[in-house]
Amino acid sequence: MSTERRRNAEGGRRRAEGPDDGSRGDGGRRRAAGPPREERAGGRRRPDSEDGFWGDDQPAPRSRRARPPQDGARSEGRPRPEGGRRRAEGERPRRPDGERRRRPEDGDRPRRRPDGQRPRRPEDGQRPRRRPDDPRAGGRRRSSGPRDPRDREHGARSEGRRQGGRAAAGSGGRGGGGGRRRPRQDEPDDRPWWKRFLSKAWKPALAVFGLMIIGGVAAFAVLYSMAPDEKELARNAEKEASATQIMWAAEGEEEPELALTTGDVKRVVIQREDIPEEVVDGVLAAEQATFYEDPGINLKGIGRAILSRGEAGGGSTITQQMARNYYSELDGEPPLTRKIREIFIAIKLDQQLDPDQILTTYLNTIYFGRGASGIEMAAQEYFGKSVSELDRAEGAYLGIIIQMPSNFENPEEGSWTETYLNEERWPYVQRQLAAMYENTGGERGLPEAEAKKLEIPDSIIAYEPEVAEGDPKLGYVRNAVLNEVTERYDISGGALATEGFVVKTSLDPDLMDAAAEAFSVLPPGEAEDTMKGLTAVDPATGQIVAFHGGPNVAEWENNSLTHQTQAGSAYKPYVLARALMDDIGLRTVLDGDSGLEYPGLANPVNNSGNVDYGPVDLIESTASSVNTSFVDLAIRVGEARVDELAVDMGVDPARQETSTLGPLIALGTHQVNALDMASAYATFANEGRHFPAHMVTEVIDKEGNPRPPKDADEIESGKEVLTSAVAADATYAMQMAVQEGGARNAALSDGRDVAGKTGTSSDAVSAWFVGYTPQLSTAVGLSRRSGEPLQFDASAGEIFGGTTSAKVWKAFMETAMEGVEARSFPAPQWVGEDQMFMPTPSPSEEPSEEEPSEEPSEVPSEEPSEEPTEEECDPRDRECQGEDTPELPDECDSWFPPDHCNEDDDQPGFPGPPDTGDQGNNGNSNSLLRPRD
């Protein structure tokens, strides 16, 4: 109990007696365990000592005066010395001069004693304890009884002592009233880390959050005020629209010549009452079924745009699309910036215009293809009547066109566009019409049963662009260029048709004509639906210099850039390149016999003509197009890894979905187009570096500012897909296919280096030759729209890529390479290890007379005389042939002999079937998807 409390208890104060010859205790005050305090309770703080508990240099404390026992306010048994004075009210007791406070021993602290009992000194170092029944235990004042004013002072000191005592217990500090408090930072904090973090972070976080809100509101206000309003919308509507110009490739320093324009813009403005509700329902079902209920922006679309930095697109409301159509300058901005500005324009217009005004403006300006800007001219171009005369199906069809006007303006039979229209877009519109009917209580849309009965109208007028008259290639150029600009430059079809862009291309008009004329070398009697694809790509830039679209853009899909057919054996070089990258060398030997079985295939794999080639290396496998060895190789390197490499080299990733992944992809089960193959083989020609294929080289707006494409970095630097050594070895194997294998018909007359690969699918459903020189990669593919086998007169004999497509390739390349410097391919580098993948014979089998007595090692000890090693001589030098090679006539002693030399049965070279041409999959019904009927 504190001094003040003991003084008030029972009208007096009891004081523990200390030793006669030492200082008294600390007034009976309770203190924390540990070292004793250095100060008196309620007294002045003693100066700190440098040595000991209290320094020797401190003045001696005054001794306490004895108190008379008769004083009821004093402790019993302590008489006051005679002559002493009574302490005034509020005055603190003093010790006699020279007497110091007794220092507690052994860390004990005094305890209280019962009333009327004298204190006793603790014995044996024991610490006195309070009696549980002592009403004064704990140092608390009883609730009843008068309170001395001095208790307030005592209470403050006592509270400080209690806190100080707790601190002292842990650090050796001194407790008791009046002692120094332990600094807060030194106190242990046993709270969880997240509580400690929140206690410090919540204020800065709150401040930052507040600043963000203020900044966001300010930014919103600024952007909203800067957004165009309805007055500027009206001014933009009155601007005169102009067509886009498409240019041919420039020759040298000359200015490029005009190829064509997108045509005159056709626009007629109508009022809202002129548009039937059936047409409005069809447009809303295709674009935004909840237009009348939604605000001007799509929050989900905004979130998607922010997360993708504007790349995801989609989700735009009709108000946002209208804003973009009217404010064409948005097309020139980065995707995220454009999206943000588009959003604020839509918000502002939504506040200033009612929904009917927005919808009418939208339908008067949106581009529908066929040169029609606005729904009135769209009705005229597609159905030959005014919009007020359209029915529900016709209105829904016009609504579908808005998404992709350049594709839907003339969907070709059997094309991807037609499939997408029939299987995805039209069912979607039917579902939306039914949903609108349910959500609006029958005010809009159609009942579900009626919506399902709605069919695509058959009254669509056939479209033949004016630019295609007299020159079929121009219609294909127009569509191909517009599609590429909208995809790579993110410019809408409506803006292209009305904003007067200038589009420069890499297309050479002379080579475009040469591509069409090259097919004249085909045998007569071709089927009417024969699709003739040809695409030529510059390996150093990825630029498409020519392609053959077809006879009529209104009736035929693009034979080269759109139409797909099975790749056949032209897919084998991707397997070869994958193996070379895995350090499987060109002289690696595999089993080339026909009729071999492989894991995962239900039927054996056969070679063309069921020829057994026996042990073959990768050079011979490529030149003779051996099916079994390449299927085995594809399994060893991994079919999925072959597909991945093909995509990296230039094949569209969507082609992997055209057939099931498995070992037979080595035989070309995937469907590809001529652009895929020319772009991928260009990677071989460019020593392993791939550039994305493209024909648009620059887009300039009407202010003269160039617009950058989304793939500018890839176009500028390309991507290394193969090492130069791998590309050189693969090229060497394909050179042998042209020089010694089934692609001899592709050899150019000037003797320049040519490499390539033929490809023929089962039953000759498709026939390919894809080849290249160091300066140009060209793919030629033949197939039929119906998917039936190719058909020519009987004089053509068996149809292979080497007997048809290779001749077309040569006819085109003779023109394309005219006047171009002849360059050589790099010499083979012989990467990887030459391995033996032949099956190991069982011990019971004895070697035949023809076989050596000893089991052959992994690498044959003797090389064929006609295939020298790298150390002996240049592998392309005819002098490297062995001594046993028969002497040839002079006209046959060249890399490019006349045809009669190739027909000589005694002609040395790679073993193969009696016929020439591609060793495709003839007779192997399981090699490709299409078996023989």
Side-chain angles (χ1 to χ4, degrees):
M1 180 181 291
S2 67
T3 303
E4 299 296 332
R5 293 199 176 209
R6 280 195 295 270
R7 178 179 302 152
N8 292 329
E10 298 181 1
R13 173 177 179 180
R14 294 179 181 153
R15 192 180 294 273
E17 292 182 358
D20 297 337
D21 56 348
S23 59
R24 296 181 179 273
D26 193 13
R29 287 192 304 271
R30 183 181 182 185
R31 51 184 172 79
R37 302 183 183 277
E38 62 181 354
E39 302 176 20
R40 293 177 303 167
R44 287 193 296 253
R45 179 180 299 171
R46 295 178 180 271
D48 292 338
S49 172
E50 296 182 357
D51 6 88
F53 217 92
W54 290 292
D56 296 337
D57 56 345
Q58 298 296 328
R62 290 173 294 182
S63 60
R64 295 178 182 267
R65 288 177 296 187
R67 297 176 181 174
Q70 65 274 12
D71 190 350
R74 301 294 184 268
S75 299
E76 297 178 1
R78 294 185 181 180
R80 181 186 301 174
E82 293 185 7
R85 65 180 180 87
R86 185 181 184 87
R87 188 170 66 247
E89 183 71 14
E91 182 181 354
R92 295 181 181 179
R94 296 183 179 180
R95 297 185 180 91
D97 293 343
E99 183 178 351
R100 297 180 60 183
R101 177 182 298 177
R102 179 176 61 87
R103 179 173 180 176
E105 297 177 359
D106 299 329
D108 295 336
R109 61 181 181 180
R111 60 181 180 179
R112 294 192 181 118
R113 63 184 183 277
D115 293 341
Q117 182 177 351
R118 294 180 59 86
R120 63 182 179 86
R121 182 173 298 176
E123 298 178 357
D124 298 331
Q126 294 182 352
R127 177 177 176 180
R129 299 181 179 179
R130 291 178 183 158
R131 294 172 55 188
D133 55 350
D134 189 356
R136 293 167 296 178
R140 296 182 181 272
R141 187 169 62 90
R142 290 174 296 182
S143 58
S144 61
R147 178 168 179 170
D148 193 277
R150 292 173 295 180
D151 287 349
R152 298 190 185 97
E153 181 182 359
H154 159 72
R157 292 197 304 269
S158 176
E159 186 66 24
R161 284 194 301 272
R162 284 193 294 269
Q163 295 179 358
R166 286 192 298 268
S171 63
R174 294 170 295 276
R180 287 178 296 179
R181 294 188 63 186
R182 180 176 185 147
R184 185 174 181 85
Q185 59 268 24
D186 293 338
E187 297 180 4
D189 193 342
D190 56 355
R191 294 176 300 171
W193 68 267
W194 58 272
K195 286 188 176 182
R196 296 196 303 270
F197 174 78
L198 291 178
S199 66
K200 297 179 180 179
W202 72 271
K203 290 183 179 179
L206 183 61
V208 171
F209 182 71
L211 292 175
M212 289 177 60
I213 293 178
I214 295 173
V217 172
F220 183 91
V222 171
L223 292 174
Y224 184 86
S225 63
M226 293 174 61
D229 56 13
E230 57 178 331
K231 296 180 180 179
E232 189 167 348
L233 181 72
R235 288 194 297 269
N236 286 344
E238 298 174 359
K239 290 182 180 179
E240 183 177 355
S242 56
T244 290
Q245 302 177 65
I246 299 174
M247 317 299 290
W248 292 120
E251 296 183 6
E253 300 298 329
E254 298 180 4
E255 289 294 323
E257 295 182 1
L258 177 67
L260 70 153
T261 68
T262 53
D264 296 334
V265 181
K266 308 161 189 175
R267 176 184 294 172
V268 174
V269 178
I270 58 176
Q271 303 301 317
R272 175 64 177 83
E273 53 269 19
D274 298 327
I275 308 174
E277 294 302 318
E278 293 82 0
V279 175
V280 171
D281 288 350
V283 171
L284 296 184
E287 288 296 297
Q288 186 184 358
T290 55
F291 167 73
Y292 281 99
E293 292 78 32
D294 292 345
I297 58 175
N298 183 335
L299 296 179
K300 290 183 179 179
I302 292 172
R304 184 166 57 248
I306 292 175
L307 293 176
S308 65
R309 299 187 62 83
E311 297 293 339
S316 295
T317 63
I318 285 177
T319 308
Q320 289 176 251
Q321 294 182 56
M322 183 199 68
R324 184 175 180 182
N325 290 336
Y326 267 84
Y327 304 102
S328 58
E329 64 272 11
L330 296 179
D331 285 330
E333 298 183 353
L336 184 58
T337 303
R338 185 195 67 234
K339 197 72 177 179
I340 292 175
R341 290 195 60 192
E342 177 186 305
I343 290 169
F344 279 91
I345 294 174
I347 292 174
K348 196 166 190 177
L349 294 179
D350 187 60
Q351 298 294 321
Q352 296 177 344
L353 301 174
D354 61 54
D356 279 332
Q357 288 178 294
I358 293 174
L359 182 61
T360 304
T361 305
Y362 172 76
L363 292 177
N364 276 327
T365 57
I366 198 71
Y367 184 67
F368 287 87
R370 300 191 179 187
S373 181
I375 197 167
E376 174 61 26
M377 288 309 303
Q380 297 286 352
E381 290 294 322
Y382 285 90
F383 301 106
K385 52 188 175 182
S386 174
V387 66
S388 59
E389 302 173 5
L390 298 179
D391 58 25
R392 282 192 178 275
E394 293 166 340
Y397 185 83
L398 292 182
I400 289 176
I401 291 174
I402 294 173
Q403 186 188 62
M404 294 186 297
S406 298
N407 290 335
F408 287 136
E409 67 181 5
N410 190 34
E412 300 158 345
E413 183 179 353
S415 65
W416 172 88
T417 303
E418 184 185 50
T419 302
Y420 179 64
L421 173 65
N422 293 334
E423 297 181 4
E424 294 191 36
R425 288 298 290 169
W426 192 257
Y428 172 79
V429 169
Q430 291 175 316
R431 293 193 300 270
Q432 291 298 100
L433 285 171
M436 288 171 60
Y437 184 86
E438 182 178 351
N439 294 335
T440 61
E443 182 179 351
R444 296 194 174 280
L446 284 173
E448 185 175 1
E450 296 183 27
K452 289 183 177 180
K453 294 179 181 178
L454 204 63
E455 297 181 353
I456 297 176
D458 55 6
S459 56
I460 303 171
I461 300 174
Y463 176 60
E464 189 170 351
E466 297 177 1
V467 295
E469 294 181 0
D471 196 349
K473 71 175 181 287
L474 294 180
Y476 291 101
V477 169
R478 175 184 179 273
N479 290 351
V481 169
L482 295 182
N483 287 338
E484 183 175 322
V485 171
T486 55
E487 181 179 347
R488 291 182 55 231
Y489 289 81
D490 201 21
I491 299 176
S492 66
L496 278 176
T498 61
E499 295 299 327
F501 289 93
V502 175
V503 180
K504 298 181 180 181
T505 73
S506 57
L507 299 174
D508 186 323
D510 295 333
L511 293 184
M512 293 283 293
D513 293 335
E517 295 170 1
F519 291 93
S520 62
V521 302
L522 290 173
E526 66 184 41
E528 294 183 355
D529 64 342
T530 301
M531 307 292 287
K532 306 171 182 178
L534 185 153
T535 304
V537 174
D538 183 352
T541 61
Q543 295 178 358
I544 302 170
V545 299
F547 68 90
H548 177 251
N552 188 336
V553 70
E555 300 176 2
W556 293 75
E557 68 176 312
N558 195 309
N559 287 204
S560 301
L561 309 183
T562 305
H563 176 68
Q564 303 170 25
T565 188
Q566 290 176 349
S569 294
Y571 211 80
K572 289 176 179 175
Y574 308 136
V575 183
L576 173 64
R578 181 72 264 174
L580 292 170
M581 294 177 70
D582 291 349
D583 291 330
I584 299 176
L586 285 176
R587 294 193 181 98
T588 294
V589 177
L590 301 99
D591 193 348
D593 284 344
S594 186
L596 299 180
E597 297 182 354
Y598 296 97
L601 297 180
N603 299 314
V605 175
N606 298 316
N607 294 323
S608 176
N610 294 321
V611 176
D612 291 330
Y613 289 92
V616 289
D617 62 16
L618 295 184
I619 300 173
E620 184 177 352
S621 294
T622 303
S624 299
S625 196
V626 182
N627 290 339
T628 51
S629 60
F630 265 100
V631 170
D632 184 9
L633 189 62
I635 295 173
R636 293 179 184 277
V637 300
E639 301 93 326
R641 298 175 69 233
V642 172
D643 269 354
E644 291 173 2
L645 178 60
V647 169
D648 290 341
M649 293 180 66
V651 175
D652 192 306
R655 310 299 180 247
Q656 297 181 6
E657 302 174 2
T658 58
S659 72
T660 303
L661 179 66
L664 294 183
I665 65 166
L667 308 183
T669 56
H670 292 335
Q671 294 188 358
V672 294
N673 58 38
L675 175 60
D676 294 324
M677 302 301 282
S679 177
Y681 275 57
T683 306
F684 288 124
N686 198 38
E687 301 183 17
R689 181 167 289 276
H690 172 70
F691 288 87
H694 62 286
M695 68 181 68
V696 176
T697 58
E698 189 176 21
V699 176
I700 303 173
D701 62 23
K702 58 186 175 182
E703 284 80 22
N705 302 316
R707 297 287 183 86
K710 294 188 292 186
D711 57 351
D713 293 339
E714 299 177 33
I715 295 296
E716 180 67 24
S717 58
K719 176 185 178 182
E720 182 177 324
V721 179
L722 308 173
T723 65
S724 59
V726 168
D729 282 5
T731 295
Y732 174 69
M734 286 185 277
Q735 279 183 274
M736 295 300 103
V738 176
Q739 295 172 5
E740 302 288 350
R744 296 185 183 95
N745 286 325
L748 298 181
S749 58
D750 61 1
R752 70 175 67 226
D753 281 1
V754 172
K757 183 69 186 72
T758 55
T760 310
S761 62
S762 293
D763 302 332
V765 170
S766 61
W768 288 89
F769 180 75
V770 188
Y772 54 94
T773 65
Q775 297 101 322
L776 192 63
S777 172
T778 301
V780 177
L782 297 173
S783 59
R784 292 180 62 182
R785 180 188 291 183
S786 62
E788 297 296 321
L790 290 167
Q791 177 181 322
F792 296 98
D793 283 349
S795 59
E798 285 193 84
I799 299 173
F800 294 103
T803 59
T804 55
S805 300
K807 294 180 178 179
V808 176
W809 186 92
K810 177 180 179 178
F812 171 78
M813 292 295 285
E814 294 279 9
T815 302
M817 292 290 99
E818 184 176 356
V820 179
E821 177 188 2
R823 296 180 185 174
S824 299
F825 290 120
Q829 302 300 303
W830 308 105
V831 299
E833 299 180 2
D834 298 333
Q835 305 180 48
M836 176 66 71
F837 291 144
M838 290 290 294
T840 303
S842 61
S844 61
E845 296 180 0
E846 296 183 0
S848 63
E849 295 181 0
E850 292 80 8
E851 294 179 347
S853 58
E854 295 181 1
E855 185 177 351
S857 60
E858 184 175 347
V859 180
S861 58
E862 295 182 2
E863 295 283 358
S865 59
E866 59 267 26
E867 189 170 350
T869 61
E870 183 180 10
E871 293 77 16
E872 293 174 344
C873 59
D874 185 84
R876 292 173 290 173
D877 188 355
R878 281 278 185 171
E879 299 300 327
C880 290
Q881 303 298 327
E883 296 179 359
D884 295 336
T885 302
E887 188 173 349
L888 300 174
D890 293 339
E891 68 269 20
C892 295
D893 190 13
S894 66
W895 282 115
F896 310 102
D899 291 340
H900 72 85
C901 296
N902 296 332
E903 296 172 357
D904 189 354
D905 291 341
D906 296 330
Q907 173 79 15
F910 294 101
D915 58 87
T916 59
D918 174 50
Q919 306 306 320
N921 306 307
N922 186 26
N924 179 20
S925 61
N926 72 302
S927 296
L928 295 175
L929 294 179
R930 185 180 224 26
R932 185 185 295 275
D933 294 334

